[in-house]
Amino acid sequence: MPDSDILIIGGGIAGVSTAFHLAEHGRSVALLERGEIASEASGQNMGGLGGAGWGNAPDLLAYLTMGSLEIFKRLQIDLGHDMEFRLSGGLTGIHTEDQYNFIRDRVLSLKSNGFEGELLTPREARAIEPEANPDLLGYMYAPKRGQADPVKSTQAFANAARNAGATINTGHEVLSIEIRADGTYAVQTNHGEYNSETLVIAAGAWCGPVGQMLGLRIPIVPVRGQMWATESLPPRIFHDISSAESSFTWSSDNGSDDTTPPELTHKGDQRFTRHLYGRQRKNGEIIFGGDRQDLGYDFGIDATGIEVNRGHASEVVPLVADLPIARTWSGLMPFSVDGSPIIGKIPLRDNLHIVSGLASAGFGKGPMAGKLAADYIHTSHMPHVLAESDPARCVTEAE
Ligand SMILES: Cc1cc2nc3c(=O)[nH]c(=O)nc-3n(C[C@H](O)[C@H](O)[C@H](O)COP(=O)(O)OP(=O)(O)OC[C@H]3O[C@@H](n4cnc5c(N)ncnc54)[C@H](O)[C@@H]3O)c2cc1C
């Protein structure tokens, strides 16, 4: 069976970006994906990306969002992969006086720290997004938000990785992992054994079970997100669309405890807040989603949640109230229990790395997360911004 220096488990955006950047460094790298490329969260997400800018003192969030934006530009514009990427900008609807005051303070704070964001009147918002609700109190405009097609983009990273020399094996499920006496890894799959010196876990919401194969406890919780789409329409919505409701709620109570990640929409079965994100795809479908619920590995669609989300979307873009729902889907997001990414070396085993915990924003953060992980593996030096995501803070021996 083929041997490589580095073996990556998981063909989502985190894994394929890590493979691409390692291959560009000239490293021998193979990736094992049990399904197809982008068959889980990386193919099921809304496709929103970007952030608020680099700021005066870029932290990990700025690196992951803005660095990824540059990598999306590089793959589509410089390397010629069609990802339906565009820097669309984002609009966040403000529904109440309290939300307005919160967003006004947030915009002031962003600007004073070198980030970008504007508070718009409904009239100003409707000049750039004609379907925006004129009856809301205002909108926050984020010029550095963008969008891309999740499946096409993730596949583009896999193709770029292959072009750079990586081996991408789909339909390869990792069943068990043995650490040999010399510290190398023997990984058993449904297609036989793969050997490597370095192992990278990029298994998204399944990092926990993969960690168990190594006797480790990786605190990643699978969180269900669900989405719905209208039939295709001519272009009507041009920005990423969201609402200030959830960020306002989470600013006073992020809902977390020792076992529950922050910023979910539900506490157990009870709705805690409404979260919203959406856009119109190039094929004309208008898509929205937002719920984040910890239900274990249950993917089933909750029709009530979809209706709540549709009502929320209609408050920001009234035209969707009258459009029938053509399809729904769901996926599992990899939330770390403390809410921060887990990217870097796991010191409890030799040459073991992880790229995960990208939660609800991994499509937009995954490309740079993979690059930083690849740089760390290639140079054996931790990029300084990864101090914030150090796995040593939370990955432990399994009990
Ligand atoms: C409905 C929804 C909407 C979202 N919207 C957005 C958005 O607008 N913007 C944004 O930035 N993010 C969004 N996200 C979050 C984003 O999709 C995730 O954070 C990101 O895709 C995680 O990427 P990943 O590579 O870590 O995990 P995944 O994409 O889940 O990839 C992990 C891969 O590992 C494979 N795997 C697992 N176990 C094994 C094994 N034993 N052997 C082999 N392979 C294995 C899986 O098959 C899977 O393909 C959304 C997510 C959902 C579900």
Side-chain angles (χ1 to χ4, degrees), residues 85 216 251 261 306 370:
F85 164 77
L216 296 173
S251 69
I306 296 280

Side-chain angles (χ1 to χ4, degrees), residues 2-36:
D3 289 322
S4 57
D5 287 353
I6 305 154
L7 206 47
I8 299 171
I9 303 173
I13 192 89
V16 292
S17 175
T18 307
F20 168 56
H21 289 102
L22 280 167
E24 280 211 318
H25 282 310
R27 300 299 294 268
S28 137
V29 52
L31 182 147
L32 302 172
E33 163 56 48
R34 67 182 174 195
E36 295 299 320

Side-chain angles (χ1 to χ4, degrees), residues 87-92 103 107 110 116-120 128 139-145 239:
L87 190 62
S88 55
L91 279 177
T92 303
I103 294 288
V107 168
L110 283 173
E116 296 174 54
E118 297 290 335
L119 193 52
L120 304 184
I128 58 171
Y139 290 82
M140 180 177 151
Y141 175 56
K144 290 291 191 287
R145 293 279 300 163
H239 296 80

Side-chain angles (χ1 to χ4, degrees), residues 28 54 70 209 211 222 262 271-272 277 296 308 310 317 319 321 329 346:
S28 137
W54 286 98
E70 291 307 316
R271 180 172 293 282
F272 179 52
Y277 45 71
V308 170
R310 200 221 317 225
V317 182
L319 99 104
W329 69 97
I346 298 177

Side-chain angles (χ1 to χ4, degrees), residues 10 12-14 33-34 40-42 45-48 174 204 277 359-364:
I13 192 89
E33 163 56 48
R34 67 182 174 195
E40 300 289 354
S42 297
N45 65 76
M46 188 281 276
V174 173
Y277 45 71
S360 61
F363 179 62

